[in-house]
Amino acid sequence: MIQQAYKQPGLLANKPNTSIFPMMSDLVLVFFPTPGIFVRDTLTVPASFRALPVNYYNEKSVPFDNMYVFIPAVKLEHYKGTGLAYSENTLHFEPELIEALAQQSPMIIEHSHSLM
């Protein structure tokens, strides 16, 4: 498995928006409280990984349907090849998943942790 720690170097390192214009993140890696990864509809998730459709709401509560999918992570001790696992401040990716996402060159990657 390939690890990506919170705001550390790696294939999916934190890359904030540097534009003067507001832009949506291509990937949002969530480390706490519900570990997983949100993938924007401009990127493709390999079919072998379970991605759940989610609704996104902006700060004015306007919904954006089908803009992201979510791949939940399971606790590393319970991992059985589902694609994504987590341990403290680290997401553990199957190589096929992280390489497929990184090869699509996401422009904005956000690392989210509610306690930091």
Side-chain angles (χ1 to χ4, degrees):
M1 297 190 79
I2 298 174
Q3 297 181 11
Q4 178 62 63
Y6 178 71
K7 294 201 176 178
Q8 296 297 315
L11 285 174
L12 299 179
N14 190 56
K15 290 196 296 188
N17 178 21
T18 57
S19 171
I20 61 170
F21 301 105
M23 297 176 71
M24 302 285 293
S25 297
D26 295 312
L27 297 172
V28 180
L29 281 67
V30 181
F31 293 86
F32 185 84
T34 307
I37 183 171
F38 287 93
V39 181
R40 190 153 179 219
D41 62 354
T42 55
L43 303 178
T44 303
V45 175
S48 58
F49 297 100
R50 188 177 127 216
L52 307 170
V54 295
N55 289 333
Y56 168 79
Y57 295 87
N58 71 8
E59 62 275 356
K60 296 179 182 172
S61 298
V62 175
F64 291 88
D65 295 332
N66 302 316
M67 186 173 281
Y68 286 94
V69 295
F70 182 70
I71 302 171
V74 297
K75 194 164 180 129
L76 189 57
E77 297 88 54
H78 303 292
Y79 182 75
K80 294 180 182 170
T82 58
L84 191 57
Y86 71 92
S87 59
E88 188 174 337
N89 293 324
T90 304
L91 293 176
H92 304 262
F93 290 82
E94 281 293 327
E96 178 187 353
L97 176 59
I98 195 169
E99 290 168 2
L101 295 172
Q103 287 174 358
Q104 295 176 66
S105 302
M107 299 298 293
I108 301 172
I109 300 174
E110 179 183 343
H111 286 197
S112 176
H113 195 303
S114 69
L115 298 179
M116 297 182 177

